């Protein structure tokens, strides 16, 4: 979720992934102005952290972010988040009363699962080739 702190700062929080495939070493947040994805920035925090404050953002701007967890197994599946910096002084006063929540979904370690699927697929292909060769020899 995100909470605007000022015209140029947003506080972001997230939950631990359901499946971690080991201890998470860190989280990396990549964020960009929604209409300018080529101009991204990154911030990383320790794997024990569940929050990050981003500062020096452009005022009155829509952003998109991607959060990934990292550990010995690799990089997890990204969770996405859209947030905005505060647009007007009225918005700023409302921020104290009501958080601008946006759900961050899908963060998890998927690399180990991917490797398991590739290994099973390789075994199936190997078995098919072996069976085909046996038929060809007979």
């Amino acid at each position: 979720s995100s909470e605007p702190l000022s015209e140029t700062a947003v506080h972001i929080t997230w939950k631990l992934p359901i499946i971690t495939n080991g201890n998470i070493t860190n989280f990396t947040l990549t964020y960009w102005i929604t209409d300018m994805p080529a101009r991204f920035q990154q911030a990383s925090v320790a794997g024990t952290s569940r929050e990050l404050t981003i500062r020096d953002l452009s005022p009155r701007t829509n952003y998109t972010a991607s959060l990934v967890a990292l550990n010995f197994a690799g990089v997890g599946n990204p969770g996405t988040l859209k947030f905005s910096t505060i647009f007007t002084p009225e918005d700023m006063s409302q921020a104290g009363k009501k958080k601008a929540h946006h759900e961050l979904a899908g963060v998890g370690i998927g690399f180990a699962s991917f490797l398991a699927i590739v290994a099973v697929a390789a075994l199936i292909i190997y078995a098919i080739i072996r069976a085909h060769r046996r038929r060809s020899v007979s």
Side-chain angles (χ1 to χ4, degrees):
S1 67
S2 68
E3 177 183 359
L5 300 176
S6 71
E7 289 186 334
T8 59
V10 172
H11 186 76
I12 296 176
T13 59
W14 59 89
K15 295 179 182 177
L16 187 65
I18 295 170
I19 300 172
T20 61
N21 290 329
N23 291 331
I24 295 173
T25 56
N26 68 338
F27 288 96
T28 299
L29 182 78
T30 303
Y31 59 96
W32 58 92
I33 294 173
T34 298
D35 295 335
M36 298 163 45
R39 297 183 62 202
F40 66 89
Q41 296 184 34
Q42 289 187 316
S44 291
V45 294
T48 55
S49 182
R50 303 291 176 265
E51 63 183 348
L52 176 66
T53 297
I54 305 172
R55 301 186 188 287
D56 300 321
L57 298 169
S58 297
R60 299 169 303 282
T61 304
N62 295 317
Y63 284 85
T64 302
S66 174
L67 181 74
V68 294
L70 293 95
N71 73 4
F72 71 92
V75 179
N77 296 326
T80 57
L81 171 71
K82 293 193 180 281
F83 62 91
S84 301
T85 51
I86 294 173
F87 281 74
T88 66
E90 184 179 302
D91 293 337
M92 195 177 225
S93 68
Q94 291 296 321
K97 298 175 187 174
K98 180 181 175 184
K99 291 183 179 182
H101 284 285
H102 303 278
E103 289 303 313
L104 184 63
V107 177
I109 298 296
F111 187 71
S113 298
F114 171 76
L115 288 179
I117 291 167
V118 169
V120 169
L123 288 172
I124 292 169
I125 292 169
Y126 175 75
I128 291 169
I129 292 170
R130 191 170 171 189
H132 180 70
R133 284 184 182 163
R134 283 185 182 161
R135 276 191 254 141
S136 297
V137 173
S138 301

